[in-house]
Amino acid sequence: AQKITQTQPGMFVQEKEAVTLDCTYDTSDQSYGLFWYKQPSSGEMIFLIYQGSYDEQNATEGRYSLNFQKARKSANLVISASQLGDSAMYFCAMKSSYKLIFGSGTRLLVRP
Amino acid sequence: EPEVTQTPSHQVTQMGQEVILRCVPISNHLYFYWYRQILGQKVEFLVSFYNNEISEKSEIFDDQFSVERPDGSNFTLKIRSTKLEDSAMYFCASSEARGGPGTGELFFGEGSRLTVL
């Protein structure tokens, strides 16, 4: 069975600092993808970053990077230089068999 | 930029009533999904749809739920007889079919909030 675990229900970070949001996963599939989505208070789901299971390099998208450690089955999101607008819920998700499964989310609050 | 659109944005209904939530996926996408998010909880997979049929469904997607693509553009979720516990945000999503089963991000609509009284 596939499972995504986010152990941090809430996190604080000071504006302009970096923050790491944890995500571990469990799957028996050889080919899968790992995703992070942001959900601001307005409710929409915004795609941030993707890492394929066969990708050897960690994915980066602007201030977002994904620290992929396959042997440990972890896919942590690193947000550099946090901004007030980064305050939101963040969901880690895994895709295999064309279906996306989400973790329980981490609420990030950026302090000015 | 192409986007997934959902209507209505908010619907209030009485318990036992039928509800239809509508979605227009991105036009060149071939995979369609419905997800549910009960307030304050995680986003849960309901059903995926490909090639005009359900490709996978979760245990939440019981006989009271159905999906349809009636006209090649709309993708609907019907809840036959709503219960209080169906109150949630319902997200439609779509993705391209290229690449393997683990590739391709899902593009989400803004959600339809269903309130069952």
Side-chain angles (χ1 to χ4, degrees), chain B residues 10-14 83-84 86-88 113-117:
Chain B
H10 188 193
Q11 182 156 356
V12 181
T13 190
Q14 294 290 327
K83 301 178 231 177
L84 295 176
D86 293 329
S87 294
R113 182 167 297 285
L114 177 65
T115 302
V116 183
L117 302 176

Side-chain angles (χ1 to χ4, degrees), chain A residues 2 29 31 95-100, chain B residues 31 33 48 55-56 101-102:
Chain A
Q2 298 161 347
D29 291 336
S31 176
K95 191 176 185 210
S96 62
S97 67
Y98 297 101
K99 177 183 75 182
L100 202 61
Chain B
Y31 277 89
Y33 307 83
S48 58
S55 48
E56 193 167 352

